[in-house]
Amino acid sequence: MLMIRHIILSIIALCSVSAIAQTDYDSYAVKAQRYFGYKEWASAGALYSILISERPEVTDNYSHAIVAAGMLGDSIQQINLTHIALTNQINVDSLFTSTERTSFEVGQTSLYENYLLLIRSDTPWLARVIDGYLLRYYSYRSYGPGIVEYSLRMLEGAPADDRFLMSLAEGYLLCGDITEAIDAYRLAAELNPANYRALLFLGNYYKEQPDDDSRSLARLYLQAANNLHSTPYVEEALRNLQ
């Protein structure tokens, strides 16, 4: 029944576009926000369709319509809205950021994840951009497997980018894979000798290991970190390794 109502309201919205020029746009926006706030997703989506037709340059209208469609399980509408947004030259980053914020505001973080995966499948040329947003989302959720998967995807296009190596290492740590994490941190420090976080992590890791080789590595990494940013903690750690 909700889907039928959504279709009917969408038809009404399309038929009303010609009349909105004589109607206060702001009043439609207030009504749309009210329906959205009351979780009347079909009504909200219909009104946001009117607002989009009247002012196709407003990113916020698309994100609210996309979330409303997602709450109705209408993936086709989400795809259509995204295509309309891109056709109207809405900035991709603005669209995804606004949709993320809107879905989080209604407590539906997984809706945002599902939306990104949907658009990634539908629009392959946006895959790398979406991979970056998925990586950020999984990092926010501290979801190790997702962080690892999308860090590796980002590294395919930028193998020397130590930012993605750092997220990869952190993903491995969340998955409990310390060996892979250390390898990623070491490569990050090798590619960027000024990567303080990687140096500090490696120094702290190796100083806790019992063998002499590890202590030597701990001194190496902690000294490099201290050279970049000296702190009492690092200096004390170095003294203890003498």
Side-chain angles (χ1 to χ4, degrees), residues 37-48:
Y38 288 148
K39 300 182 180 181
E40 291 283 346
W41 307 119
S43 299
L47 282 173
Y48 279 116

Side-chain angles (χ1 to χ4, degrees), residues 14-73:
L14 290 173
C15 294
S16 303
V17 171
S18 59
I20 196 173
Q22 290 76 44
T23 306
D24 185 359
Y25 173 91
D26 291 339
S27 69
Y28 278 85
V30 169
K31 290 177 183 177
Q33 292 169 5
R34 184 180 300 122
Y35 280 128
F36 194 89
Y38 288 148
K39 300 182 180 181
E40 291 283 346
W41 307 119
S43 299
L47 282 173
Y48 279 116
S49 292
I50 294 177
L51 297 176
I52 289 168
S53 298
E54 177 65 13
R55 296 188 185 174
E57 75 281 4
V58 180
T59 305
D60 190 64
N61 290 334
Y62 293 98
S63 63
H64 279 75
I66 287 168
V67 170
M71 293 302 296
L72 292 168

Side-chain angles (χ1 to χ4, degrees), residues 107-127:
Q108 297 292 330
T109 58
S110 61
L111 185 151
Y112 174 64
E113 175 191 9
N114 293 334
Y115 167 69
L116 290 178
L117 292 170
L118 175 70
I119 301 305
R120 189 185 191 282
S121 176
D122 175 75
T123 316
W125 61 272
L126 282 176

